[in-house]
Amino acid sequence: MSIVQNKKAFHDYFIEEQYETGMVLEGWEVKAIRDGRVQLKEAYVIISNGALYLIGSHISPLKTASTHINPDPVRTRKLLLHAEEIKRLIGKVERAGYTLVPLDMHYKAGRIKLEIGLAKGKKQHDKRESEKQKEWERDKQRLMRAK
């Protein structure tokens, strides 16, 4: 069950591979995510010291969050992935010019997971071509329904 999707990522990038990662979250963040107060639009993933980090995702704290903590809505969150997969991603990002973007946050077996994509940037003409293709598919579906 999806919590939030990053539709802008599919518009701006060609997504070649997808990985499902866990996230290191605090208690107030889990409660806020379950309430749907999360945004991935401006978020991105970096690799630092052999680990993946989610930067720029915004989780708005609930008003009923604990009073003894100071929530930081845009803090850097560590992503959990197998070491072998991290090494493979490091190689592709550093050598081949790929980037890592968050695609989807969802529940899996009661846990919150983040799907990240290995992506290559689209040029402006690629974006226009994708838009034309989507419009053609929509028109095709309308014509098929009309018959």
Side-chain angles (χ1 to χ4, degrees):
M1 184 175 138
S2 182
I3 301 167
V4 65
Q5 292 180 337
N6 187 358
K7 295 179 183 175
K8 186 179 176 193
F10 290 99
H11 182 261
D12 291 341
Y13 299 98
F14 291 113
I15 308 298
E16 299 199 3
E17 293 179 27
Q18 296 180 1
Y19 296 90
E20 186 177 67
T21 66
M23 297 173 60
V24 177
L25 297 171
E26 295 179 356
W28 68 268
E29 291 174 324
V30 174
K31 290 178 181 179
I33 289 171
R34 289 194 185 279
D35 196 40
R37 301 165 68 83
V38 62
Q39 186 177 26
L40 291 176
K41 198 174 270 186
E42 299 296 322
Y44 58 97
V45 177
I46 64 164
I47 300 172
S48 177
N49 297 329
L52 299 175
Y53 294 96
L54 178 66
I55 296 179
S57 68
H58 191 278
I59 300 175
S60 302
L62 296 170
K63 299 288 183 209
T64 58
S66 244
T67 57
H68 66 280
I69 58 167
N70 294 323
D72 181 13
V74 290
R75 77 176 185 90
T76 301
R77 295 165 182 92
K78 187 173 183 177
L79 301 179
L80 306 172
L81 202 60
H82 290 283
E84 178 183 308
E85 292 176 315
I86 292 174
K87 287 176 188 172
R88 190 176 325 128
L89 286 174
I90 288 171
K92 289 185 178 180
V93 168
E94 287 180 355
R95 275 181 269 152
Y98 288 100
T99 187
L100 294 169
V101 292
L103 303 174
D104 179 55
M105 192 177 288
H106 59 276
Y107 298 116
K108 183 175 181 183
R111 306 218 186 258
I112 297 171
K113 301 288 184 176
L114 180 72
E115 193 168 298
I116 61 173
L118 189 64
K120 206 169 215 31
K122 283 185 181 178
K123 303 279 190 260
Q124 188 64 35
H125 62 87
D126 292 330
K127 292 178 189 178
R128 285 191 209 112
E129 186 63 35
S130 295
E131 198 63 37
K132 284 180 190 175
Q133 189 66 29
K134 283 181 191 175
E135 284 182 29
W136 169 240
E137 291 297 325
R138 253 185 259 131
D139 290 343
K140 255 194 332 193
Q141 289 298 324
R142 282 192 204 118
L143 290 171
M144 294 299 284
R145 265 189 266 136
K147 288 185 178 182

